[in-house]
């Protein structure tokens, strides 16, 4: 059974949020930055989970999904605010339709985060502690 380490998910989420927002505003990172941010954030969540591949993948998935939802929501609110300030009804419709299309990107953003979490969980697995005495 997988366990959720919310500290690891939070660290992955913050990583994805920062890299996703930077990737959205820096033109060379527009496409690659968000996917790379999901992989790095998922890796951070999986690495900090300390519990193996399955739990690393689960924590990376949660960080990727939550991070993608927040990034899309922040960018949608920024687009709506810009459209309202400039009194552009076409901009409002464009922002709403791009936000609906971004729901697909949320699902696609969870895939690299899950892979990154699995790799991070593979690299930082907690070693089992021996509690008994060795048998002869």
């Amino acid at each position: 059974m997988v366990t959720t380490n919310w500290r690891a998910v939070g660290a992955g989420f913050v990583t994805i949020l920062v890299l996703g927002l930077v990737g959205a505003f820096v033109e060379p990172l527009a496409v690659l930055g968000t996917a790379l941010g999901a992989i790095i954030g998922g890796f951070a969540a999986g690495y900090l989970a300390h519990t193996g591949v399955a739990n690393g993948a689960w924590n990376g998935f949660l960080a990727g999904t939550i991070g993608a939802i927040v990034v899309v929501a922040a960018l949608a609110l920024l687009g709506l605010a810009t459209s309202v300030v400039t009194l552009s009804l076409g901009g409002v419709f464009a922002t709403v339709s791009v936000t609906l299309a971004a729901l697909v990107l949320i699902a696609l953003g969870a895939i690299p985060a899950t892979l990154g979490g699995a790799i991070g969980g593979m690299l930082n697995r907690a070693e089992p502690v021996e509690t008994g005495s060795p048998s002869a």
Side-chain angles (χ1 to χ4, degrees), residues 16-70:
I16 291 171
L17 180 66
V18 169
L19 293 177
L21 290 176
V22 167
F25 291 111
V26 177
E27 188 174 338
L29 298 176
V31 176
L32 185 62
T34 53
L36 189 62
I39 291 172
I40 293 172
F43 178 82
Y47 188 81
L48 292 174
H50 297 291
T51 51
V53 177
N55 284 328
W58 171 249
N59 288 302
F61 171 77
L62 285 178
T65 305
I66 294 169
I69 289 171
V70 171

Side-chain angles (χ1 to χ4, degrees), residues 6-135:
W6 288 107
R7 184 174 117 327
V9 171
F13 161 73
V14 169
T15 304
I16 291 171
L17 180 66
V18 169
L19 293 177
L21 290 176
V22 167
F25 291 111
V26 177
E27 188 174 338
L29 298 176
V31 176
L32 185 62
T34 53
L36 189 62
I39 291 172
I40 293 172
F43 178 82
Y47 188 81
L48 292 174
H50 297 291
T51 51
V53 177
N55 284 328
W58 171 249
N59 288 302
F61 171 77
L62 285 178
T65 305
I66 294 169
I69 289 171
V70 171
V71 167
V72 166
L75 294 176
L77 288 175
L78 183 64
L80 282 176
T82 303
S83 298
V84 168
V85 167
T86 60
L87 298 174
S88 170
L89 187 59
V92 172
F93 288 131
T95 301
V96 170
S97 39
V98 166
T99 302
L100 291 176
L103 292 177
V104 174
L105 295 176
I106 290 172
L108 293 177
I111 293 170
T114 303
L115 293 174
I119 293 169
M122 190 181 338
L123 293 178
N124 190 16
R125 187 177 315 177
E127 296 295 326
V129 178
E130 292 185 27
T131 57
S133 62
S135 59

